Amino acid sequence: MRKTLGLALGAGGARGVAHIGFLQALEEEGIRPDFVTGCSMGAVVGALYCAGVSPETMKERALNLKLADLAAINLSPFRGNGLMFPKKARKIMLDIVGEEKEFTDLNIPFACVATDLIEGKTVVLKEGNILDAALASSSIPAVFTPAKFGGYEMLVDGCILERVPTRELKEMGAEVVVAVDVLGNLMETREPSGTLINTVLRVIDVMDTRSTQRKRVLRKYVDLWLEPALGSMDQYKVKDLDFAYQKGYELGKKKAGKIRQLTGE
């Protein structure tokens, strides 16, 4: 009897386009997840996919994106706790989905994680508007203003505490958990420049990588941990997106047989 499959799509900024290629490869191999979780860019891709958006459509839109398409400048950044508002990104997501959708409208059960700055903990978002939940999960501190969602007043990027949400898949009912971590060990390859924002991003990278390394040792919720070969690609620069897609696609093709073996298909 086939076991239920859960996909955990990790944080990764521009590197997260690899998730789209990975999903495309699985679709071609006839593999569809029963549950999906996501963090940050993984939450955006996961939300769109579970809402019925095809990987082909996501690829077409993603490969034509520019930074100016994604964010609106906040003219009072200190008052708003961030340099940018995510309203442009939300508009793009809404255009892709075609309509506002709640978690209960999704074709595949989905959840994403964010970091609650008030209580200092990871929170699981699985109710309400999926676009707002995905944007809350991907609100990089100091870059985007913290999000208000689901009764929480200050939500930021989930990767600060949980880059790849695997435990949540087990709680949703997944018998086989496949984790896709598009960041890997970025701490050894990313060099900070002298700007305030780059310093903040570097701090996030260090915290995130260390946290993920500690959790990766246990891997008690994970049957298959995957990392696409993205080299030193910078997650904070909107370029090389086709490269990221291709590496995710190659990984999906390479591991399709293993995933079938794990689920008993």
Side-chain angles (χ1 to χ4, degrees), residues 85-185:
F85 295 111
K87 58 185 180 182
K88 284 189 176 181
R90 192 187 195 285
K91 185 177 184 300
I92 291 172
M93 291 174 64
L94 179 58
D95 183 54
I96 294 172
V97 175
E99 61 182 328
E100 300 285 357
K101 287 202 174 186
E102 305 281 308
F103 278 84
T104 52
D105 299 324
L106 299 179
N107 300 334
I108 301 171
F110 172 71
C112 59
V113 295
T115 301
D116 177 14
L117 287 184
I118 293 178
E119 294 193 24
K121 66 179 184 180
T122 295
V123 295
V124 182
L125 308 179
K126 53 186 178 181
E127 295 180 349
N129 187 285
I130 63 161
L131 303 185
D132 294 329
L135 289 172
S137 178
S138 54
S139 294
I140 303 172
V143 177
F144 289 104
T145 55
K148 295 182 179 182
F149 182 81
Y152 298 98
E153 293 298 314
M154 291 190 73
L155 294 180
V156 296
D157 205 310
C159 78
I160 293 174
L161 296 177
E162 191 168 2
R163 178 198 292 181
V164 188
T166 56
R167 172 180 53 84
E168 293 76 11
L169 282 174
K170 283 292 187 183
E171 294 173 351
M172 293 168 75
E175 297 171 282
V176 173
V177 171
V178 175
V180 185
D181 179 14
V182 300
L183 287 178
N185 192 8

Side-chain angles (χ1 to χ4, degrees), residues 4 12 15-16 84-86 158 165 170 180 211 240 248:
T4 56
R15 293 167 69 104
M84 303 177 184
F85 295 111
K170 283 292 187 183
V180 185
S211 175
D240 300 325

Side-chain angles (χ1 to χ4, degrees), residues 3 102 121 127 181 186 197 203 207 220 232 260:
K3 295 180 180 179
E102 305 281 308
K121 66 179 184 180
E127 295 180 349
D181 179 14
L186 280 185
I197 285 298
V203 170
M207 293 172 58
K220 63 180 180 178
S232 60
R260 287 199 192 91

